[in-house]
Amino acid sequence: MGIVTAALVTGAVLVVATVAGLVWRAHTGRVTDVSGRAESELTGLLGFVSGPAPAEPGTAATLLQFSTDHCAACGPTRRVLGRVASEHDGVTHLDINLTPYPELARRLNIMQTPTTFLFDGAGRVRGRIGGAPRLPELLSALTPILEADHVHS
C-alpha cells in the first residue's frame, strides 16, 4: 500500500470514528421514553433479583440504577441519583449490580452501565437513561411524574 492510500484510509477511519463518537455522545445520558414496556415493570425487576429486594420503591418515583463491578461512572451516578432522591419526597434510588445477573442485562437490553430506569409511583417505567444521567434532563423527566403524583395524593 502506498503512502497516499494509507493516508486516505487513515483519514477515512478517523472521520468514521469521530462521527460514531459524536453520535454516541449525543445519546448518552439522555432520558429516553420507554413507557408501556411490560418487561420493565418495577415489581418484576425487583423480584428477579435473588434474595431480599434492595429497598422499597418510592411512593412517587423510583430511580433504578443498574451497575456492574467495574463501572467507572456508576459511583458518580449513584451519588447524583441519591441526591435527587433525597431532595424529592417520595422518590427512592435503588441500585442493582448486574454482574451476577447477566440474563437480566440481556433481557433489558442493557449494553452499558450505568443504565437507569425511571419509574412512576405505580411502578410503570417512564424513562431510561444509558450512561451517566444529564441532571437537567433527569429533573425534567421527573417533574411531571412528581406533579402527577401530587395531584393524585
Side-chain angles (χ1 to χ4, degrees), residues 74-107:
C74 290
T77 296
R78 191 174 298 112
R79 287 187 291 279
V80 167
L81 297 177
R83 190 181 85 232
V84 168
S86 71
E87 292 173 353
H88 295 87
D89 290 337
V91 178
T92 299
H93 168 239
L94 305 177
D95 189 0
I96 294 177
N97 182 351
L98 280 176
T99 303
Y101 305 107
E103 62 280 4
L104 181 58
R106 282 190 295 277
R107 178 177 152 202

